[in-house]
Amino acid sequence: MIRITIIGSGNVAQHLIKIFSKSETIEMVQVFSRKKKGLTHLVDSDKITTNLLDLKEADLYIIAVSDAVIGAVSEQLNFQNRLVVHTSGTAPLDTLDAKNRRGVFYPLQTFSKNKSVNFFKVPLCLETEKEQDYATLEFVAKSISNSVFSISSEQRKALHVAAVFVNNFTNHLYQIGQEICEEHQVSFEILKPLIQETAKKIRFLNSVDVQTGPAKRNDSSTIAAHLNYLTQENQKKIYKLITQSIQDNGKTF
Amino acid sequence: MIRITIIGSGNVAQHLIKIFSKSETIEMVQVFSRKKKGLTHLVDSDKITTNLLDLKEADLYIIAVSDAVIGAVSEQLNFQNRLVVHTSGTAPLDTLDAKNRRGVFYPLQTFSKNKSVNFFKVPLCLETEKEQDYATLEFVAKSISNSVFSISSEQRKALHVAAVFVNNFTNHLYQIGQEICEEHQVSFEILKPLIQETAKKIRFLNSVDVQTGPAKRNDSSTIAAHLNYLTQENQKKIYKLITQSIQDNGKTF
């Protein structure tokens, strides 16, 4: 059994607590949360501490807090030479205080409080400072996911920026699609199968090969009609810029 | 049995030929194609004509050609007062020549030659000039799809522009994600579960509610780090513009 302590109570922390609690090879030792209340539905009350200085011994401490406070939290830990990891896509490994053996345990997925996630499909990106710690982290990762990768801090940066494009920005395009529908009294439901199919295609086909639409076929009259039809400035600007980017297809402009 | 003739041989035409050929309530009378060769795997050779003036009588003619030639093709038909529809998301109903009874049969989905589509889930947007023709078009649509909508030319415009955002532009963001991964030697495969989850969320949750990331939480240091990390001008410009649009959230800027 590997003994794990989770530090944090946000989305990622809660998903990890839920999944580790079900695992037969992981023992959830403790959870640190500033407030006790928010977590009692997930973990026994006596396992929750609101005092960072009360942490018991564990094989692995997972700091799942916002990027800005990872460093400060890791500094406050009153022990050393133990395995301490964070879950951030952006923070480098050395954001963590050097008194402990450092690592990263980054689940590359989007978590919402209101939607459960099949964790076995969530890619886990692992990094450890010391080679001998990698086996421990890998054991933990493989006990909850079928998709485990060794990723350096440098590679993680690339993944995180790319994730902003394919998740945050894509979701914003969905929002714009919905706004256009609402403005013209059409149900956004009609577009949902298209959204699903667009995502499904990318599993097996190349994005460049499946690109269609007015930008791709240089259909300037449709592009002009669309720009004329849009009423919101942000929508017009995004339409123009992405159309240009598709037409230039990677060439600098 | 409703007798249908398809005019065209592109992606949409081929998907319609395939699906109508399987239907027990539809009789595929004929297909018009400029070249006979490309369609013989889908339909008997004697049902293919390369001469528009050779079209036999049918209950419904579906013109599935590129927008630019819909008008010209409909003018060349040497019959009148029959039900003739096009399949375009952009062309208004009156693009069709007025000598026939006009309509629109727009499948709102992305079709690739290399990927089959479950047609029963494809939303079909219908419009007819004459009310009595709607029942015919609806019967045909419901014989191949569970998702049939009455959509005016004006509403169809909104759907088409919105589709460009959620399909064409989203697919381009996937391409950028892949380019960033390749530039930094990370497998794009790691991002694919995130792409699927982003699309799945939108089925039941609101895009505004599920938005996460540095733009949403006004994390200016991460935004600056990402912009600094990106090497391609088009990627930087798109990153800046969509970040601003998320932050302003619909307000004019």
Side-chain angles (χ1 to χ4, degrees):
Chain A
M1 293 281 268
I2 303 249
R3 296 166 303 165
I4 294 186
T5 287
I6 307 271
I7 298 167
S9 57
N11 262 342
V12 173
Q14 292 202 20
H15 276 93
L16 289 177
I17 293 167
K18 221 179 283 178
I19 188 79
F20 283 135
S21 301
K22 286 183 203 154
S23 165
E24 289 176 2
T25 52
I26 304 289
E27 183 192 342
M28 280 286 304
V29 176
Q30 229 176 351
V31 174
F32 165 81
S33 168
R34 276 173 302 180
K35 285 171 279 175
K36 205 155 190 165
K37 263 207 297 199
L39 293 177
T40 44
H41 61 297
L42 291 178
V43 64
D44 291 346
S45 179
D46 60 354
K47 286 192 173 176
I48 306 172
T49 176
T50 57
N51 183 354
L52 256 191
L53 303 178
D54 265 354
L55 293 186
K56 297 177 190 165
E57 191 165 349
D59 301 310
L60 171 64
Y61 298 81
I62 301 180
I63 301 183
V65 300
S66 63
D67 289 8
V69 293
I70 292 172
V73 167
S74 72
E75 276 170 32
Q76 288 170 53
L77 300 176
N78 64 349
F79 49 77
Q80 53 195 13
N81 201 29
R82 296 186 194 167
L83 182 54
V84 174
V85 301
H86 72 62
T87 58
S88 165
T90 325
L93 180 138
D94 60 13
T95 308
L96 294 164
D97 190 287
K99 68 186 167 192
N100 282 295
R101 285 148 34 219
R102 301 177 286 187
V104 180
F105 186 93
Y106 170 43
L108 203 163
Q109 189 50 281
T110 165
F111 299 105
S112 297
K113 282 204 174 121
N114 300 322
K115 187 173 181 311
S116 67
V117 161
N118 178 358
F119 223 98
F120 270 95
K121 290 185 174 176
V122 173
L124 296 175
C125 304
L126 310 185
E127 181 181 12
T128 55
E129 193 176 16
K130 301 200 188 303
E131 215 185 316
Q132 67 266 34
D133 287 327
Y134 191 81
T136 307
L137 211 54
E138 195 181 29
F139 177 88
V140 171
K142 288 193 169 169
S143 76
I144 58 171
S145 169
N146 287 327
S147 184
V148 176
F149 301 88
S150 170
I151 296 288
S152 70
S153 285
E154 195 54 32
Q155 290 175 309
R156 195 154 35 84
K157 260 191 217 168
L159 280 173
H160 192 259
V161 179
V164 168
F165 280 89
V166 303
N167 169 256
N168 302 163
F169 291 175
T170 289
N171 186 64
H172 190 61
L173 296 183
Y174 297 163
Q175 181 187 335
I176 290 175
Q178 180 162 9
E179 284 166 0
I180 295 168
C181 285
E182 285 169 359
E183 187 182 340
H184 298 277
Q185 280 93 48
V186 200
S187 169
F188 182 55
E189 290 299 315
I190 304 178
L191 283 171
K192 290 189 176 174
L194 177 66
I195 288 175
Q196 302 309 315
E197 184 66 17
T198 306
K200 272 188 206 159
K201 271 190 182 174
I202 213 67
R203 291 173 62 190
F204 306 111
L205 302 171
N206 189 288
S207 54
V208 178
D209 299 336
V210 301
Q211 186 66 61
T212 57
K216 171 71 178 180
R217 59 174 189 271
N218 285 304
D219 178 349
S220 51
S221 71
T222 298
I223 292 166
H226 283 175
L227 284 170
N228 187 46
Y229 189 78
L230 292 169
T231 60
Q232 304 299 309
E233 270 313 302
N234 64 328
Q235 296 171 0
K236 277 183 201 279
K237 284 184 186 172
I238 290 171
Y239 189 103
K240 271 187 212 164
L241 188 60
I242 302 190
T243 291
Q244 196 183 350
S245 182
I246 291 171
Q247 291 179 330
D248 294 353
N249 200 17
K251 282 173 273 170
T252 307
F253 65 87
Chain B
M1 293 281 267
I2 302 250
R3 297 166 302 164
I4 295 186
T5 286
I6 307 272
I7 298 167
S9 58
N11 261 342
V12 173
Q14 292 202 21
H15 275 92
L16 290 177
I17 293 167
K18 221 179 284 179
I19 189 79
F20 283 134
S21 301
K22 286 183 202 154
S23 165
E24 289 176 3
T25 52
I26 304 290
E27 183 193 343
M28 280 286 305
V29 176
Q30 229 175 351
V31 175
F32 165 80
S33 167
R34 276 174 300 178
K35 285 172 278 176
K36 207 157 189 163
K37 264 208 294 197
L39 292 177
T40 43
H41 62 298
L42 291 177
V43 63
D44 291 346
S45 179
D46 60 354
K47 286 192 173 175
I48 306 173
T49 176
T50 55
N51 183 354
L52 257 192
L53 304 178
D54 265 354
L55 294 185
K56 296 176 191 164
E57 191 165 350
D59 300 309
L60 171 64
Y61 298 82
I62 299 179
I63 301 182
V65 300
S66 63
D67 289 9
V69 293
I70 292 171
V73 167
S74 72
E75 276 170 32
Q76 288 169 52
L77 300 175
N78 64 349
F79 49 78
Q80 53 196 12
N81 201 30
R82 297 186 194 167
L83 182 55
V84 174
V85 302
H86 71 62
T87 59
S88 165
T90 326
L93 181 139
D94 60 14
T95 307
L96 294 163
D97 191 287
K99 68 186 167 193
N100 281 296
R101 285 149 33 221
R102 301 178 286 186
V104 179
F105 186 92
Y106 169 44
L108 203 164
Q109 189 50 282
T110 166
F111 298 105
S112 298
K113 284 209 172 114
N114 300 323
K115 187 174 181 310
S116 68
V117 160
N118 178 358
F119 224 97
F120 271 94
K121 290 186 173 175
V122 173
L124 296 175
C125 304
L126 310 184
E127 182 181 10
T128 54
E129 191 176 17
K130 303 204 187 300
E131 215 185 315
Q132 67 266 33
D133 287 328
Y134 191 80
T136 307
L137 211 54
E138 194 182 28
F139 178 88
V140 170
K142 288 192 169 170
S143 75
I144 59 171
S145 170
N146 287 327
S147 185
V148 176
F149 300 88
S150 170
I151 296 288
S152 70
S153 286
E154 195 54 32
Q155 289 176 311
R156 195 153 34 83
K157 259 191 219 168
L159 280 173
H160 192 259
V161 179
V164 167
F165 280 89
V166 303
N167 169 254
N168 303 162
F169 292 176
T170 288
N171 185 64
H172 190 62
L173 295 184
Y174 298 163
Q175 181 187 335
I176 290 176
Q178 180 162 10
E179 285 166 0
I180 294 169
C181 285
E182 285 170 358
E183 187 182 340
H184 298 277
Q185 280 93 49
V186 201
S187 168
F188 182 55
E189 290 299 315
I190 304 178
L191 284 171
K192 290 188 175 175
L194 178 65
I195 289 175
Q196 301 310 315
E197 185 66 18
T198 307
K200 271 188 205 159
K201 270 191 183 175
I202 213 67
R203 291 173 64 190
F204 306 110
L205 301 171
N206 189 287
S207 53
V208 178
D209 299 337
V210 301
Q211 186 67 61
T212 58
K216 172 70 178 181
R217 59 173 189 270
N218 286 305
D219 178 350
S220 52
S221 70
T222 298
I223 292 167
H226 283 176
L227 284 171
N228 187 47
Y229 188 78
L230 292 169
T231 60
Q232 304 298 310
E233 270 313 303
N234 63 328
Q235 296 172 0
K236 276 183 202 280
K237 283 184 185 170
I238 291 171
Y239 190 103
K240 271 187 211 163
L241 187 61
I242 302 190
T243 291
Q244 196 184 350
S245 182
I246 291 171
Q247 290 179 331
D248 294 353
N249 199 17
K251 281 174 274 171
T252 306
F253 65 86

